[in-house]
Amino acid sequence: DADVTQTPRNRITKTGKRIMLECSQTKGHDRMYWYRQDPGLGLRLIYYSFDVKDINKGEISDGYSVSRQAQAKFSLSLESAIPNQTALYFCATSDLGGNQPQHFGDGTRLSIL
Amino acid sequence: GIQVEQSPPDLILQEGANSTLRCNFSDSVNNLQWFHQNPWGQLINLFYIPSGTKQNGRLSATTVATERYSLLYISSSQTTDSGVYFCAGANDMRFGAGTRLTVKP
């Protein structure tokens, strides 16, 4: 979905490095999410935010932190990357007002050596 | 947390065939969604369907909320339908492991 942009699209880095993945959206949605996908598996929620002042842990938040800098921006940080954080990371958005369908970015493929 | 089971895990079809994919939840969810992940990894929202039936072209979905399951129907399948189909729901958006669909020409 071109309205949800993730940067970078690919990243290779070393164990122990700090990494930030960024997500921006032009859909005007209040809710934003970060997921990771491991090969052959479904997505798992890392963190989500319902507005700029709201941050919630998901199923697998350990080792990650997030920042909601503005309604349109939601970044995910790995403070000290480890190899088992190698995965495909997705950002998603949804509108406010009850449960609404989610719209995904194209993903960031992260490899930690 | 809620458990999500999808079946079958893999499905191979000949172009033109119909198929039914199933999603079971261990508890009630009020925001069930179906997604298609294409071979390039992109995720597309197919349906937001907490209950009832919806149709979009050759695809339709039915959710029976009281029995905690949802079905995705694909009719007259095409090679472009190939990929992985996920269902998801609950406040912390639990995903199933997906059904990998391969449509052969």
Side-chain angles (χ1 to χ4, degrees):
Chain A
D1 192 325
D3 297 326
V4 183
T5 302
Q6 292 184 231
T7 56
R9 293 295 315 280
N10 294 281
R11 177 79 183 271
I12 300 173
T13 191
K14 294 182 178 180
T15 298
K17 294 290 187 181
R18 184 178 187 275
I19 301 159
M20 180 179 288
L21 308 183
E22 298 190 4
C23 178
S24 63
Q25 52 114 348
T26 59
K27 299 184 79 67
H29 287 170
D30 288 294
R31 300 182 176 189
M32 298 187 75
Y33 310 78
W34 275 106
Y35 293 89
R36 69 175 277 176
Q37 184 179 26
D38 295 283
L41 299 179
L43 280 69
R44 291 182 292 169
L45 184 62
I46 305 172
Y47 273 96
Y48 60 104
S49 169
F50 283 179
D51 65 40
V52 175
K53 298 178 182 179
D54 177 72
I55 301 290
N56 304 282
K57 292 183 177 180
E59 183 184 354
I60 53 162
S61 60
D62 287 348
Y64 301 94
S65 63
V66 291
S67 174
R68 184 80 184 268
Q69 301 96 320
Q71 187 206 36
K73 295 184 183 294
F74 193 36
S75 59
L76 176 72
S77 294
L78 289 68
E79 296 301 326
S80 180
I82 55 177
N84 74 4
Q85 291 177 312
T86 293
L88 183 57
Y89 289 84
F90 286 100
C91 173
T93 73
S94 66
D95 208 352
L96 196 58
N99 291 299
Q100 298 289 333
Q102 292 193 335
H103 302 269
F104 282 80
D106 287 341
T108 294
R109 191 168 297 279
L110 178 62
S111 296
I112 300 166
L113 307 177
Chain B
I2 289 177
Q3 305 300 311
V4 184
E5 292 185 359
Q6 291 188 242
S7 59
D10 293 279
L11 186 59
I12 300 174
L13 299 175
Q14 207 65 39
E15 197 168 30
N18 302 329
S19 62
T20 302
L21 283 57
R22 186 177 178 104
C23 175
N24 291 331
F25 282 81
S26 61
D27 202 349
S28 300
V29 300
N30 60 0
N31 60 347
L32 195 147
Q33 302 178 47
W34 283 97
F35 299 89
H36 176 223
Q37 187 168 35
N38 65 26
W40 297 271
Q42 295 172 317
L43 277 158
I44 305 298
N45 193 302
L46 298 175
F47 293 103
Y48 172 76
I49 185 163
S51 64
T53 297
K54 290 186 178 180
Q55 181 159 4
N56 184 2
R58 296 180 296 102
L59 273 60
S60 64
T62 295
T63 296
V64 183
T66 54
E67 297 187 21
R68 304 194 298 271
Y69 75 89
S70 184
L71 302 173
L72 178 68
Y73 305 97
I74 304 174
S75 64
S76 303
S77 58
Q78 301 176 358
T79 56
T80 53
D81 295 331
S82 295
V84 184
Y85 290 81
F86 293 104
C87 63
N91 289 337
D92 58 351
M93 285 304 285
R94 296 291 174 130
F95 277 69
T99 292
R100 181 173 298 277
L101 175 65
T102 302
V103 181
K104 294 187 173 183

